[in-house]
Amino acid sequence: MLQLVLGWFPSVAFANLYGIIALAALISDQIVPRLAGTRRFSSRPSRDRGSFIAIYLCAQVGMVGAIVLRFLSIGVVPPWVQFLAVVLIVVGTLIREWAILVLGRFFSRVVEIEEGHRLIAVGPYRWIRHPAYAGMLITDSAIVLGLGTWVGALLMLVAMLIPTLYRIRVEENALLEALGEEYRAYMRRSWRLLPGW
C-alpha cells in the first residue's frame, strides 16, 4: 500500500516535502487563530446556521472522493503540476493565516457577532471580503492536486465552494444586520472571494 501511494509522487523526496507542507498547512490552521487572540468557545449566540458543519463534512467527502479518484488513476497530472500544487498550498495557507491574523479576535469558526464588532478593511480585507475562505479553497484544492489528480482537485474545489458560498451568505447577512450601511458600502467597493468576483 505504501509503495502504491509513494508511486503517486515524482520521488520519495517530493512525497516527504509534500507531506510536511500539507501537514504544516493543517497545523497552522489550528495555531494561528490562537495567536490572533480568538477564543476557542464563545458565549455569544451563534448565527452559523449549520455552515461550519457543512464545510467540514463537504471537505471530508471531497477528500475521500479525491483519494478514490487517485487510486483509480483518474485525471493524473504530470510531476510539474504536483510541484505547482505544493507552491499553491503555501500561497493558500499564507493568504488564510494572514486574513485570520488581521481579523484577530473577530475571527471565529462559526458565524457570530462579537461585542464591539467592527468592520475590518485592512490587509487582504482592503480588496476581498472573505480572503480566509479564498485561502482555504486554494489550500484544500492544492492538497488534492499534489496527490496527482486534477479531477480530484476539481471535485474538492466544487465540494468546498458550495458550502463556502452558503457560509458567505450567512455571514454577510449577519454583518449587514450588525453594521448596516457601513458594511453595505464595503460590499460595493470590495470583491467577495477573488479579484473580479
Side-chain angles (χ1 to χ4, degrees), residues 92-104:
T93 301
L94 290 174
I95 291 169
R96 179 168 172 79
E97 306 314 340
W98 179 28
I100 290 170
L101 286 170
V102 169
L103 274 185

Side-chain angles (χ1 to χ4, degrees), residues 20-40 52 55-56 59-60 89-101 103 107-110 125 131-137 139-140 143 160 167:
I20 289 167
I21 289 176
L23 185 60
L26 297 173
I27 291 171
S28 72
D29 206 43
Q30 301 304 311
I31 294 172
V32 170
R34 293 181 185 157
L35 295 175
T38 62
R39 290 172 289 164
R40 191 165 173 89
F52 172 77
I55 289 172
Y56 177 80
Q60 306 313 307
I89 294 169
V90 173
V91 169
T93 301
L94 290 174
I95 291 169
R96 179 168 172 79
E97 306 314 340
W98 179 28
I100 290 170
L101 286 170
L103 274 185
F107 172 79
S108 175
R109 296 209 186 269
V110 296
Y125 294 94
Y133 300 144
M136 174 187 73
L137 292 168
T139 301
D140 290 354
I143 285 173
M160 292 295 290
R167 166 68 168 251

